[in-house]
Amino acid sequence: MGDDEKKSKMSSSRKQNLKSLMLQIAKQELQKEEEERVAEKENYMAEHCPELSLSSSIQELQDLCKQLNGKIESIDEERYDLEAKVKKNNKDIDDLKQKVFDLKGKFKKPVLRKVRMSADAMLQALLGSKHNVSMDLRANLKQVKKEEKEKDICEVGDWRKNIEDKAGMEGRKKMFESEA
């Protein structure tokens, strides 16, 4: 309650008066700044750009044009050199920022969540809803004939039968006869 009693309330007319005074002072300061800017510009132009004294002689005018052209070329060369320096410095700054970022080591890999998504849904998410691409992996597989496998099994047959046939001298004769 002590703070409320200490605060003095200003009347609205007093606030309005102070506000208008502040705006008048700001306006005067802006006008002064503008006048200073104009005077500064005039001084610069007087120093760097002397007034032209055009004579009626064509030769003097051509000499003046050559001088101005030379100045323009030298200024363009300086501008080009400065632009190249600025580009190089910006590239160096970016490289150094990247090195600082790498040295800090504060880059954290985000935790990846498992997402169950079919191949069709993934393609649709990547390509958008305009493209209807179905990815049926089974359609592209080569068909294997089961009959060939069964024939191979029949040819091999029961291993016990083969051993009994080859057992003893009769089995060995059969082996040699079948080879010859």
Side-chain angles (χ1 to χ4, degrees), residues 100-113:
V100 167
F101 185 73
D102 291 342
L103 289 175
K104 282 185 180 178
K106 290 187 177 180
F107 179 72
K108 295 180 181 176
K109 291 184 180 178
V111 178
L112 300 177
R113 288 179 271 152

Side-chain angles (χ1 to χ4, degrees), residues 21-32:
L21 286 174
M22 286 174 50
L23 289 173
Q24 287 176 357
I25 293 171
K27 186 177 179 182
Q28 290 172 358
E29 288 180 4
L30 286 174
Q31 287 176 349
K32 285 180 186 177

Side-chain angles (χ1 to χ4, degrees), residues 30-119:
L30 286 174
Q31 287 176 349
K32 285 180 186 177
E33 286 178 9
E34 185 64 30
E35 291 171 2
E36 289 174 3
R37 212 176 290 135
V38 169
E40 200 175 298
K41 184 177 180 181
E42 289 174 359
N43 290 337
Y44 181 84
M45 292 301 283
E47 279 181 34
H48 295 286
C49 299
E51 292 185 27
L52 291 177
S53 57
L54 297 176
S55 61
S56 60
S57 167
I58 295 177
Q59 184 62 33
E60 290 178 7
L61 289 175
Q62 287 178 345
D63 291 340
L64 178 65
C65 288
K66 287 179 183 177
Q67 287 176 352
L68 291 176
N69 196 15
K71 286 182 181 180
I72 289 172
E73 287 177 0
S74 64
I75 290 173
D76 280 342
E77 288 174 2
E78 288 178 25
R79 181 180 55 84
Y80 178 77
D81 292 341
L82 291 175
E83 285 178 356
K85 283 182 182 178
V86 167
K87 285 181 183 178
K88 183 181 178 252
N89 287 340
N90 285 340
K91 185 180 177 188
D92 290 343
I93 288 171
D94 291 339
D95 291 342
L96 290 173
K97 281 182 182 179
Q98 185 64 35
K99 284 183 182 178
V100 167
F101 185 73
D102 291 342
L103 289 175
K104 282 185 180 178
K106 290 187 177 180
F107 179 72
K108 295 180 181 176
K109 291 184 180 178
V111 178
L112 300 177
R113 288 179 271 152
K114 289 185 179 179
V115 178
R116 290 192 176 190
M117 194 180 248
S118 68

